[in-house]
Amino acid sequence: MAGLVALLAGVLGLAFGSFANVVIHRVPEGRSVARPPSACPRCGTEIRPRDNIPVVSWLLLRGRCRDCGAPISPRYPVVELVCGALFAGTAWWLASADPPDWWALPAMGLFVWMLLVVTVIDYETRRIPNALTYPLTPALAVLLVVAALANGEPGRIVDVLIGGAGAFAFLLVLALINPRGMGMGDVKYAAFLGLGLGYVGLGAVVIGIFGAFLIGSVISIGLIVTRLRGRKDMIPFGPFLSIGALLALLFGSQIADAYLSAVGLA
Ligand SMILES: [Zn+2]
């Protein structure tokens, strides 16, 4: 059963990955994601439905526009594949929980979709658009509250709200202390992540945020030591927040158990 659900979620994830490409491409430029339909950036020909099948079309066209032969970036199928894998993995995780948490599927689908979209946009533009965090943070909160109520676990709503407010407040303090190290986009994104991880548990919120700083520090030091980046270069923090959140989501309870047994508390 969990395998079937994961397979279906994976296929759905490819389609949402295709939409993620549109969002990644257009939202930083302030353009509508609904209109006009996707077109080749060189010759302007609208993409036909048969050439818009995730991953498959890119492979069949060998990464080129059907009309003018302009190369299509491999980023498009990669984003689709990653989104498919994220959806499949999340569905597998929720379906194999005991008892399975079907109600959380929409919320967690939105959660991992956002991780992917923000990571690519922040990496490319060094910004996390309000056009994403403003509508999708309350949307995630509503989906999580619905899941908690449908599962008969209203207490989880408190963890969701504490997680969101706590992560927001923590990063806000850091951003006020060191405005060059962190932007308000990161602070608002942390609220979104705190909500989603709060549903898993407050331990997952701590692991997600702490993990982001740990991974961010290690990679930043690595980039400076190998001279790929200078000491003064701005390294976007959003991707690290996303990686920390994903690790906390999928392995949070194992990490917490390992930590508690290591310090002799369990
Ligand atoms: Zn073309």
Side-chain angles (χ1 to χ4, degrees):
M1 187 63 182
L4 181 67
V5 172
L7 184 69
L8 290 173
V11 174
L12 193 67
L14 293 174
F16 273 93
S18 192
F19 180 60
N21 277 318
V22 177
V23 171
I24 289 165
H25 193 64
R26 295 186 184 183
V27 165
E29 297 173 1
R31 292 162 59 201
S32 162
V33 295
R35 282 177 303 132
S38 301
C40 168
R42 191 205 272 175
C43 69
T45 310
E46 219 175 86
I47 311 291
R48 299 164 184 83
R50 66 169 164 149
D51 291 341
N52 215 359
I53 304 162
V55 184
V56 176
S57 293
W58 189 88
L59 290 174
L60 289 176
L61 292 167
R62 298 206 189 96
R64 298 196 166 273
C65 170
R66 183 185 289 278
D67 297 279
C68 70
I72 305 164
S73 168
R75 194 191 76 193
Y76 290 91
V78 168
V79 164
E80 287 159 357
L81 278 176
V82 171
C83 196
L86 285 173
F87 272 46
T90 306
W92 173 269
W93 166 64
L94 289 171
S96 40
D98 185 28
D101 190 351
W102 307 115
W103 289 101
L105 277 170
M108 288 305 164
L110 170 62
F111 188 79
V112 293
W113 183 86
M114 181 79 151
L115 294 184
L116 173 62
V117 169
V118 167
T119 299
V120 180
I121 290 180
D122 196 24
Y123 180 78
E124 289 189 335
T125 70
R126 311 283 159 95
R127 294 194 63 234
I128 300 176
N130 290 336
L132 288 173
T133 46
Y134 283 178
L136 295 182
T137 303
L140 178 69
V142 169
L143 290 175
L144 290 168
V145 167
V146 168
L149 292 176
N151 283 326
E153 297 174 309
R156 268 179 129 161
I157 297 170
V158 178
D159 286 353
V160 166
L161 297 178
I162 293 176
F168 176 82
F170 181 62
L171 264 74
L172 179 63
V173 169
L174 293 178
L176 293 175
I177 294 171
N178 178 16
R180 286 192 64 246
M182 195 167 306
M184 284 310 292
D186 296 313
V187 176
K188 293 169 213 166
Y189 183 41
F192 178 93
L193 299 178
L195 291 173
L197 294 177
Y199 183 82
V200 181
L202 291 179
V205 182
V206 175
I207 289 167
I209 301 293
F210 183 72
F213 281 99
L214 192 67
I215 296 163
S217 308
V218 170
I219 292 184
S220 298
I221 291 168
L223 287 172
I224 290 166
V225 167
T226 55
R227 296 182 188 256
L228 290 168
R229 288 282 186 282
R231 201 178 291 270
K232 297 257 168 75
D233 284 341
M234 193 259 185
I235 298 170
F237 193 55
F240 299 126
L241 282 171
S242 300
I243 295 167
L246 187 64
L247 292 176
L249 188 67
L250 299 177
F251 306 111
S253 51
Q254 287 99 313
I255 295 171
D257 289 348
Y259 176 77
L260 291 175
S261 63
V263 296
L265 286 172

